Amino acid sequence: MRGDRRWQIDAGLARDLAAALGWQPGDGAGALAARFPEHVPMGSTAKLAAIAHDEVPPGEDPGPLARQLLEHIVARSAAPAGGASSPSWSCWVACTVMAALVDAAGLGPVHVASTRRSDDGAPIVDFHGAVSVEVDGETWVCDPYFGAATALPSEPGVRVSVRGPLGTVAAERSADGGWAYELSWDLWDDLVLRFRRLGPALDPGDVRAMAAISVTHSGVPLRPYARLHVGGGITDVSRSEDGTGVLHSWTSAAGRSEAASSWDEAVEAFAGATGVRLT
């Protein structure tokens, strides 16, 4: 059963984007989630551009977004001088586009879910997107923004923990039918992010509402940020409150920070490290 197919996009576009991401349906939902931050910058610049134009941040319409992601991946593969231009995209963009690819592949019924960050360090309001996929009787919870996924245990109260290249993903069902998952990346020291399901099956209007809420209530500062998973590690760039910037590179061996005197200088450093020029 394919569900209501609310995230359906053009089949040819979906095939082309899946191929550009290096994903086939047989790879599974978890592999698809991992591909997003390896090929497409995750972060805040697309959201901030929408806010600057008094628009709701993107996410509700995956068709045009999938086209933009595809164009960026193709341009980046051509290794243009100075890097391939792209904004960094929010969790809602990653989730709705992932749901569209899962739908097109016929992998199983798929839903975009809303979650609330609920670990000890979480702010009161921090909503986040996730994707749930039913595959051969299993429910997979996927977070394409962070490149994480795991199958849920069949019984409530049972916790599963899976090691991946960046750290651990853990998940559990609750007695009321909900679920929660945790991300604990080795590269980020003691930081543990926990997300609890809030809405199990959002439609485009719900995603638009969540994106609109994020304009004024967000778990992260409304400053430019971008992240890519590169070579088994993580590279990210952020603008500091004082207008300077910083480039972080984490590998399995060590982490490194490179200060920049301005956001523009940090963007140059990110382009040199990743081949992506942020817009």
Side-chain angles (χ1 to χ4, degrees), residues 45-224:
T45 68
K47 170 181 172 178
L48 293 173
I51 293 172
H53 289 88
D54 199 25
E55 298 172 352
V56 175
E60 66 178 294
D61 187 357
L65 295 168
R67 176 68 64 189
Q68 291 182 67
L69 267 56
L70 175 60
E71 290 173 352
H72 163 69
I73 295 171
V74 170
R76 188 181 177 207
S77 69
S85 296
S86 174
S88 58
W89 301 99
S90 73
C91 61
W92 302 112
V93 173
C95 286
T96 59
V97 174
M98 178 177 172
L101 298 188
V102 170
D103 175 89
L107 197 61
V110 59
H111 298 290
V112 173
S114 61
T115 71
R116 182 179 66 83
R117 186 178 162 198
S118 57
D119 54 82
D120 290 343
I124 294 174
V125 180
D126 187 353
F127 298 131
H128 184 64
V131 177
S132 66
V133 188
E134 303 295 327
V135 185
D136 297 329
E138 284 190 313
T139 299
W140 278 80
V141 174
C142 305
D143 188 330
Y145 183 80
F146 286 109
T150 184
L152 285 172
S154 58
E155 296 296 326
V158 177
R159 179 183 172 91
V160 297
S161 183
V162 180
R163 285 287 302 176
L166 296 176
T168 301
V169 183
E172 61 192 71
R173 291 182 187 269
S174 55
D176 63 3
W179 41 257
Y181 67 97
E182 287 182 0
L183 306 178
S184 179
W185 286 166
D186 299 338
L187 309 174
W188 287 343
D189 298 324
D190 297 327
L191 178 64
V192 176
L193 302 176
R194 180 176 176 84
F195 299 98
R196 184 178 66 83
R197 192 189 77 175
L198 183 69
L202 276 60
D203 65 17
D206 296 328
V207 170
R208 179 178 172 83
M210 283 292 180
I213 289 170
S214 74
V215 171
T216 52
H217 292 83
S218 176
V220 296
L222 291 176
R223 296 194 295 268

